[in-house]
Amino acid sequence: MYMLVESRTGSYLHLKRSPGIRSWSLFVGIASIGLAAAYYSADSLAWKLFYMAGCFFVAAQNLEQWEEAIFDKSKGTVCLKTFNLYKKILTFSKGGSEQVVALLNEIRDVNVEEETVRYFGKSYLVVLRFVTGFSHPLTQSAVMSYRSDVEAVAKLIISFLELDRVESPHDLSQSSETEASDADEPQDEY
């Protein structure tokens, strides 16, 4: 699963992503190698601790990130948060989390992008496109799941932000009235 809906109201959308089963399996596998090396070796206690700590750090490095996306219409912001266990351990809990905040009214489009992963196939992620031309991924890493899962999240965001709404005839008539009023003004000729 790409992202799960934590909560959703008319003005608030909270999406979450946690490390998947593959990531946790890899974490347990690498950490257990360190435990087995420490248990079955005849080395000193210092070497056993080194085996366990080294394998734990490698396991934590391969663990995926926890990610959140909070769309809040009342504040008019989107907040993308990322938490990384490995960075948290290395910085002694001073770092490890990153946060990006942007205005909702600056989001122009939401797309699904495809990345080719050598030997494994394709992975997908949602990208937010802003009015300024800047693009930012919803998550830091793409997932190798079905494209439909990622498209469902993109459609949910599009419908929440009402980006799929077509301009109504009332809005069109207002824009044509302003063009007509502009025509009434005297124009300078050069």
Side-chain angles (χ1 to χ4, degrees), residues 27-145:
F27 178 82
V28 169
I30 294 172
S32 63
I33 290 170
L35 287 173
Y39 182 75
Y40 290 111
S41 75
D43 294 331
S44 67
L45 180 63
W47 277 107
K48 290 180 179 185
L49 289 174
F50 176 74
Y51 298 152
M52 290 189 329
C55 285
F56 177 75
F57 279 124
V58 171
Q61 184 180 15
N62 287 301
L63 191 62
E64 291 178 345
Q65 303 178 57
W66 283 266
E67 297 178 289
E68 287 184 276
I70 302 170
F71 296 86
D72 193 350
K73 286 184 180 177
S74 61
K75 293 180 183 175
T77 60
V78 56
C79 181
L80 306 174
K81 297 180 183 179
T82 303
F83 173 76
N84 190 326
L85 181 64
Y86 184 68
K87 287 180 184 176
K88 193 82 159 171
I89 292 169
L90 285 180
T91 60
F92 300 109
S93 77
K94 293 181 182 177
S97 58
E98 299 172 4
Q99 183 172 326
V100 175
V101 179
L103 296 174
L104 284 179
N105 59 4
E106 290 185 359
I107 297 175
R108 172 178 51 94
D109 197 13
V110 179
N111 295 27
V112 175
E113 283 194 3
E114 180 180 289
E115 294 181 358
T116 303
V117 181
R118 180 181 257 173
Y119 307 119
F120 292 108
K122 297 179 181 175
S123 60
Y124 306 97
L125 70 135
V126 174
V127 176
L128 303 174
R129 305 223 183 262
F130 293 92
V131 176
T132 58
F134 178 70
S135 298
H136 194 280
L138 189 64
T139 58
Q140 295 298 317
S141 56
V143 293
M144 295 186 63
S145 66

